[in-house]
Amino acid sequence: AQSVTQPDIHITVSEGASLELRCNYSYGATPYLFWYVQSPGQGLQLLLKYFSGDTLVQGIKGFEAEFKRSQSSFNLRKPSVHWSDAAEYFCAVGATGNNRKLIWGLGTSLGVNP
Amino acid sequence: GAGVSQSPSNKVTEKGKDVELRCDPISGHTALYWYRQSLGQGLEFLIYFQGNSAPDKSGLPSDRFSAERTGGSVSTLTIQRTQQEDSAVYLCASSPRGYEQYFGPGTRLTVT
């Protein structure tokens, strides 16, 4: 069965430091991969997506993610974190079959120290 | 352009009452999803509409939950005889083709 694992429940970084949030998936074919961000009290916002092609994808707010097939990973990165990046981050993978649902990770909560 | 909108933003109801939650998707999006998110939890899939196909109801937690989508646009999620465990944020998302989803701000439901 397809699954998405976000190994880190909570991460805290200092403002200005680099960030990497991990995402591992289990899927039999080339997946569709997504990262979403949820700020407190808000809905989810799409940060970036991977469908095919270049394995390094750029997103909004200075985020990027790299698809590594050999590691079944799609880690999210940002070179310099801002205090406003404090939020919940969700990784998701497109499910197989005709039903175009997403399989969601449980999320990683990011704290940013001033 | 306009994003996904949901109403009401907050709803407080008494246990046993019925509630209706509304979702207005992005114009032209053929797919619509409903999720539930309990405090500090991830997303729980509820139901998925794609065009004129039969909806995928596999995530509905009980027969007290139902949803419809009229004219391929607006959707309503109905919870009958609400229970305290139904308290959560209900999120709606729409998609132009499926997979890539755009979310509304959610409806926070509190059952007292």
Side-chain angles (χ1 to χ4, degrees):
Chain A
Q2 294 160 304
S3 64
V4 177
T5 302
Q6 295 181 245
D8 304 304
I9 296 174
H10 183 81
I11 287 180
T12 300
V13 300
S14 297
E15 190 168 18
S18 63
L19 170 70
E20 183 170 30
L21 300 182
R22 295 182 292 163
C23 174
N24 294 96
Y25 65 89
S26 172
Y27 189 77
T30 300
Y32 297 158
L33 296 160
F34 305 85
W35 275 99
Y36 285 81
V37 61
Q38 185 177 34
S39 298
Q42 304 295 312
L44 279 79
Q45 182 180 21
L46 179 63
L47 279 176
L48 47 79
K49 60 192 177 189
Y50 172 79
F51 283 175
S52 64
D54 193 344
T55 57
L56 183 63
V57 294
Q58 302 297 320
I60 62 171
K61 304 185 178 186
F63 285 93
E64 66 178 28
E66 186 171 12
F67 169 53
K68 293 186 176 180
R69 184 190 302 276
S70 62
Q71 299 177 18
S72 297
S73 69
F74 188 58
N75 294 350
L76 181 71
R77 302 194 294 248
K78 186 170 185 177
S80 178
V81 171
H82 188 261
W83 63 266
S84 61
D85 293 326
E88 190 83 15
Y89 290 80
F90 293 94
C91 180
V93 62
T96 55
N98 295 324
N99 197 332
R100 299 189 173 188
K101 296 188 298 188
L102 295 181
I103 307 299
W104 294 85
L106 295 180
T108 296
S109 175
L110 175 65
V112 180
N113 288 329
Chain B
V4 177
S5 61
Q6 293 186 244
S7 61
S9 55
N10 280 285
K11 176 72 176 179
V12 180
T13 189
E14 293 180 351
K15 177 182 174 181
K17 294 289 180 67
D18 297 351
V19 295
E20 286 189 352
L21 312 179
R22 177 186 170 104
C23 173
D24 284 86
I26 294 172
S27 178
H29 281 194
T30 60
L32 187 147
Y33 306 77
W34 282 99
Y35 294 91
R36 179 167 70 176
Q37 187 176 34
S38 300
L39 187 63
Q41 301 297 308
L43 293 166
E44 177 186 6
F45 166 77
L46 296 177
I47 188 169
Y48 161 59
F49 297 89
Q50 173 62 61
N52 296 320
S53 302
D56 176 354
K57 305 179 183 180
S58 61
L60 296 178
S62 76
D63 58 9
R64 297 187 295 106
F65 288 72
S66 63
E68 63 177 20
R69 188 179 185 191
T70 55
S73 181
V74 172
S75 178
T76 302
L77 177 70
T78 301
I79 308 173
Q80 296 179 312
R81 305 181 302 281
T82 52
Q83 304 294 313
Q84 288 188 328
E85 60 263 30
D86 299 334
S87 295
V89 175
Y90 289 82
L91 293 166
C92 173
S94 70
S95 175
R97 295 168 298 278
Y99 291 125
E100 179 178 341
Q101 298 175 23
Y102 297 87
F103 283 81
T107 294
R108 181 174 300 278
L109 175 66
T110 303
V111 181
T112 61

